[in-house]
Amino acid sequence: MNSKTSKPKKRLSRLVFTDVIMKAYEGALNEYRSKSKNADGSPMTQLDVANILNLTDDKIISKIERFIQGMDDRTFTVFVLATDNHARYKLIQRKTKARNPRLILEPPTPAVIAQYRNNIEGLSSAMLSEALGLHSGTVGKYESLTADAANRRSPSAHTWTLMLLVTNQHPNYKIVARD
């Protein structure tokens, strides 16, 4: 690619947030849901949480709150950011023409995942894995084009959304430090 037409890489130090992930301890979702309100001031229901997280069934939220099922740290972090309950960061909507810009985005192909990571100068897959609270080789597995079926991985929509947020590449939202 011609250097005059290629997009310059963003610098690592300004664009990667390494302390965004919050631990989803037992009872955390219920605790944060109970202190959250909808835009109209009404209490947040399990269905509201399912809608925020783009889940098809609010029964999943019920199972999490009754300790029958666990919740992934990245999914929990997306919820906490979306409800403005993160202690260090807040979610800001970018200027967009979309009426209801989506927060949760479906993950793309491995090549596109690698391309997004490579947009950030000096960002290794191990560094991004660490920033997302994942095992050091996980992002590399998301990017692998040659992995056999047993080793092939794809991020969840919540993990992909956080990958975009922590690298400041989400098309509709960004995270900023609280004052």
Side-chain angles (χ1 to χ4, degrees), residues 130-150:
E130 183 180 335
L132 295 169
L134 298 166
H135 185 272
S136 64
T138 303
V139 170
K141 289 180 180 179
Y142 294 160
E143 297 175 352
S144 177
L145 297 171
T146 59
D148 61 21

Side-chain angles (χ1 to χ4, degrees), residues 17-22 77 81 86 88-89 131 162 166 175:
F17 298 90
T18 57
D19 57 351
V20 174
I21 303 302
M22 293 183 62
T77 301
L81 284 166
H86 200 289
R88 292 180 297 268
Y89 298 102
L162 276 173
V166 301
I175 54 175

Side-chain angles (χ1 to χ4, degrees), residues 8-25:
K9 289 188 176 189
K10 297 175 182 177
R11 297 195 80 47
L12 176 64
S13 62
R14 295 180 345 121
L15 295 174
V16 176
F17 298 90
T18 57
D19 57 351
V20 174
I21 303 302
M22 293 183 62
K23 294 288 181 197
Y25 55 88

